[in-house]
Amino acid sequence: MAASFKAILALSMLISPCLSSAAQSCSSYTFSSNKVFSSCTELPHLGASLYYNHTAPTDTISIAFKAPQTSTGWVAWGLNPAGTKMVGSQAIVAFFHSNGSMVAYPTQLDSYAPSMAPGAPSFPVSDLSTEYVNKEMIIFATLGLVGGGSKFSHVWQEGSTVLNDVPKAHSTTGENIQSLGTIDFQ
């Protein structure tokens, strides 16, 4: 019995720091722009996190999407107001432009091989900006929520290549095809 207790205690001491650091990484993160978000969630794939403030009277959310990435890749996060997967999502993509500056813009994911060209989403997007800090790309934006709801399907992604200022296809295996879920902004 004492040996079992000691084994459990030792295991919990090994696991505890991992759980503690994972829980702290989202809620204790400080943005270089000093932006503050009331809610955050560690997304289950690609090491990404989503931070947000929901403003009910105006039916808007201010977000920060953060994901690890090299300076040659891209990241994206988006909502799908009518479905549950990538196709139909209205996304915001960010990467380093060939001129060396970071760029972020909305795009529509209308197929499994979207153009990734800038395009107007079905909801308003404002206050769009991006930055690269500690090998992570961060997208900031304010979105008008469609239909007056608070629960949406969302997708997030990362790709390793940008060619001629166009993000190229992401991997179609592993975590890249699992990066979707539901979020309630309440």
Side-chain angles (χ1 to χ4, degrees):
M1 184 76 129
S4 280
F5 178 74
K6 285 181 183 178
I8 292 171
L9 182 60
L11 184 60
S12 69
M13 290 174 73
L14 288 172
I15 293 173
S16 181
C18 297
L19 295 175
S20 172
S21 66
Q24 290 177 0
S25 64
C26 179
S27 62
S28 65
Y29 186 82
T30 303
F31 291 97
S32 64
S33 58
N34 294 319
K35 292 184 180 185
V36 177
F37 296 90
S38 60
S39 300
C40 68
T41 184
E42 293 288 333
L43 299 174
H45 303 288
L46 302 175
S49 303
L50 181 67
Y51 302 77
Y52 60 92
N53 294 323
H54 180 229
T55 307
T58 59
D59 221 10
T60 59
I61 55 163
S62 296
I63 64 105
F65 170 76
K66 179 173 71 76
Q69 187 53 274
T70 67
S71 60
T72 59
W74 59 270
V75 299
W77 176 83
L79 295 176
N80 190 333
T84 60
K85 300 206 179 210
M86 180 182 119
V87 174
S89 293
Q90 318 288 305
I92 300 168
V93 62
F95 57 89
F96 276 98
H97 191 273
S98 59
N99 67 13
S101 67
M102 285 209 72
V103 62
Y105 58 78
T107 187
Q108 295 191 26
L109 307 178
D110 54 6
S111 73
Y112 283 108
S115 71
M116 299 298 282
S122 62
F123 45 80
V125 176
S126 61
D127 304 321
L128 186 55
S129 65
T130 186
E131 60 185 34
Y132 190 66
V133 179
N134 296 324
K135 298 182 181 179
E136 292 182 308
M137 288 188 179
I138 305 169
I139 298 171
F140 298 100
T142 300
L143 311 174
L145 297 178
V146 293
S150 65
K151 191 173 185 178
F152 294 90
S153 292
H154 69 131
V155 296
W156 59 97
Q157 199 52 255
E158 62 85 27
S160 61
T161 307
V162 176
L163 185 61
N164 298 321
D165 296 325
V166 177
K168 294 302 172 191
H170 60 77
S171 173
T172 56
T173 62
E175 291 191 64
N176 290 90
I177 59 171
Q178 299 169 335
S179 299
L180 52 94
T182 303
I183 188 155
D184 192 339
F185 293 115
Q186 285 293 24

